[in-house]
Amino acid sequence: MTRPQSLALFCKVVDNFGDIGICWRLARQLQQEHGIDVALWVDDLRSFQRICPEVAINADVQQLAGVTVRHWRDQEGEFSASDVADIVIEFFGVDIPPGYITAMAQREPRPAWFNLEGLSAEEWVEGCHTLPSPHPRLPLKKHFFFPGFTSKTGGLLHEAALEGQREQFQSDQATMAAFMAQFGVTPEEMASLKVSLFCYPHAPVPKLFEAWQDGDTAVTCVVPQGVAADAVRTFLGMDAKPGAVRTVGALTVRVLPFVAQPDYDKLLWACDLNFVRGEDSFVRAQWAGKPFIWHIYPQDKDLHHVKLRAFLGRFAPALQSLNAVSLAWNGAEDAGSGWPALWAQFHAEMPIIGARTADWRSEMLANGDMTSQLLKFEEFLRSARG
Ligand code: TRH
């Protein structure tokens, strides 16, 4: 039984950076840790460039960190069986080119075909993880693969070297200070409560800013360019460009550039509290081991509130201040004018929340990393086929 040598990963950027953020992380890990020849097909190179500045936005094909990046346009009729990889992954159920699917059916042996789904803490995920879905016409079977928070799901993306890198960075104050200083963060700001802010535009940022500004604790909020742009511009009274900074009361807001993906990890590691969103930054905050607040991607009929509650129920059902701030931040409960009290309770409980986050990280690591789980499942399917 030969091990898979090649893999094609198809990614459509629906919006924002999570789709390409996750696919780029997965592609690099497959290549670097498992020696697989990866072709990453992506339709939006401009978004990709925001998280990976080395991306050339006009290149049809380019090599980046050992991965072949292909600009996915409307390539059709260009595929033969020999173009098909050993493993094919469609991310979030994107429609991969019909010509490629036809070529998959012509290939011997057939490739393993996965639909890599979005992350949710809901219970039904365990029942759907690894379910097959036969093609209606062709001799092909696709399997659903769900990341998740339990041992009955595919786990979370986590690179083998990540823990060591984080521990080294966090144990060295000078390295952390130098990292933050490149964005203008001063020693005085380093000594304050450092908060990174990444959220969708509808988050109640002005309420939180008010609570911080009127509070007793010096807070430095670092916010990458483009995030909560209206609220940040209003607070600053000027354009929210990298380097812009203003202090009002106990709060300093400082705008950073939108950093490359590996630096975003360092930002999370260097801060005392992280506001994150979507899927990928949400997972990275869990690995950072610092208290975090999740702004979930909004969905119709408030389905995201169900998902948020499912996560909080697994992560920290007993931590009241964390639950209250998370629900209010996501509009699942109305905090009204109660933000100063919510923040004060949360701030007081930050040591317990931090300890829980570190325990949670160990629990999540014990589930195994998603990339290895995916390859194990592929191996299982191959051995079952004989
Ligand atoms: O950008 P997002 O809102 O992406 C979302 C979610 O993934 C959502 O589930 C999906 O359905 C939707 O896109 C289409 O948030 P997310 O998932 O955290 O992705 C952000 C990526 O950007 C992540 O890889 C971290 C990276 N990043 C940087 O590289 N530099 C930065 O400065 C920041 C703030 C983020």
Side-chain angles (χ1 to χ4, degrees):
M1 228 176 19
T2 49
R3 281 168 48 80
Q5 310 278 319
S6 59
L7 182 146
L9 172 55
F10 288 88
C11 171
K12 273 213 164 110
V13 175
V14 177
D15 60 4
N16 304 321
F17 310 103
D19 309 296
I20 185 58
I22 293 162
C23 289
W24 177 226
R25 212 178 274 299
L26 171 62
R28 272 176 299 168
Q29 194 181 9
L30 283 160
Q31 201 288 320
Q32 289 165 11
E33 293 179 24
H34 301 275
I36 293 178
D37 189 2
V38 180
L40 170 58
W41 292 80
V42 54
D43 65 336
D44 178 355
L45 293 174
R46 216 170 271 279
S47 293
F48 191 3
Q49 195 189 45
R50 292 291 301 281
I51 62 162
C52 176
E54 295 80 26
V55 169
I57 53 172
N58 295 321
D60 276 343
V61 184
Q62 56 194 303
Q63 290 293 323
L64 290 170
V67 171
T68 305
V69 174
R70 293 183 178 275
H71 191 185
W72 182 10
R73 286 199 257 255
D74 50 0
Q75 289 95 338
E76 251 325 315
E78 295 172 21
F79 302 107
S80 62
S82 60
D83 296 320
V84 174
D86 297 333
I87 303 177
V88 179
I89 300 179
E90 54 184 45
F91 183 68
F92 269 6
V94 296
D95 290 327
I96 60 181
Y100 195 91
I101 296 178
T102 307
M104 281 162 70
Q106 289 160 353
R107 183 190 197 265
E108 281 299 338
R110 304 257 150 57
W113 183 8
F114 300 113
N115 175 4
L116 178 55
E117 281 289 346
L119 176 62
S120 171
E122 292 162 292
E123 285 198 4
W124 60 262
V125 167
E126 288 186 347
C128 294
H129 176 53
T130 71
L131 281 186
S133 163
H135 192 278
R137 286 179 297 104
L138 298 168
L140 289 169
K141 204 185 277 176
K142 172 161 72 180
H143 286 86
F144 290 94
F145 195 91
F146 283 81
F149 302 99
T150 72
S151 60
K152 292 186 183 142
T153 67
L156 301 171
L157 275 176
H158 183 276
E159 301 83 3
L162 190 69
E163 280 300 278
Q165 290 164 352
R166 179 190 58 76
E167 276 166 19
Q168 198 179 11
F169 185 84
Q170 287 181 335
S171 66
D172 184 347
Q173 293 298 328
T175 301
M176 279 201 285
F179 174 76
M180 295 298 271
Q182 67 178 307
F183 306 122
V185 176
T186 64
E188 200 188 355
E189 289 165 12
M190 280 305 283
S192 68
L193 186 85
K194 297 172 294 301
V195 182
S196 77
L197 180 65
F198 187 36
C199 59
Y200 297 109
H202 60 279
V205 175
K207 304 247 188 223
L208 192 62
F209 279 2
E210 261 173 52
W212 282 338
Q213 169 182 320
D214 298 338
D216 300 331
T217 306
V219 173
T220 300
C221 176
V222 289
V223 45
Q225 186 178 24
V227 175
D230 289 346
V232 173
R233 193 183 317 108
T234 303
F235 181 88
L236 294 172
M238 62 175 116
D239 259 9
K241 287 195 188 130
V245 61
R246 186 176 177 214
T247 302
V248 179
L251 173 64
T252 299
V253 173
R254 181 177 277 288
V255 181
L256 312 185
F258 197 91
V259 296
Q261 209 183 34
D263 278 350
Y264 184 65
D265 272 330
K266 291 185 180 162
L267 186 66
L268 298 175
W269 300 342
C271 287
D272 306 300
L273 166 64
N274 295 304
F275 284 74
V276 287
R277 75 184 201 191
E279 180 167 328
D280 193 51
S281 58
F282 169 51
V283 172
R284 303 314 277 187
Q286 294 169 49
W287 300 139
K290 301 291 187 73
F292 66 90
I293 300 289
W294 181 31
H295 204 210
I296 186 168
Y297 188 75
Q299 285 182 288
D300 286 347
K301 298 185 184 153
D302 286 344
L303 184 61
H304 57 297
H305 290 163
V306 176
K307 294 184 171 178
L308 172 67
R309 287 194 163 92
F311 175 72
L312 291 170
R314 284 191 194 279
F315 175 57
L319 291 179
Q320 278 180 6
S321 66
L322 173 73
N323 280 268
V325 170
S326 301
L327 294 171
W329 187 243
N330 283 282
E333 268 171 25
D334 184 12
S337 56
W339 273 99
L342 274 185
W343 166 246
Q345 284 153 12
F346 181 89
H347 185 218
E349 282 189 19
M350 268 180 56
I352 320 172
I353 298 169
R356 171 59 190 140
T357 312
D359 286 350
W360 172 261
R361 175 176 58 204
S362 306
E363 291 166 28
M364 294 304 104
L365 285 174
N367 290 335
D369 77 276
M370 193 195 88
T371 305
S372 305
Q373 308 269 48
L374 185 93
L375 293 177
K376 265 191 216 149
F377 181 50
E378 186 277 338
E379 193 180 338
F380 165 79
L381 293 175
R382 212 163 3 106
S383 62
R385 234 174 20 200

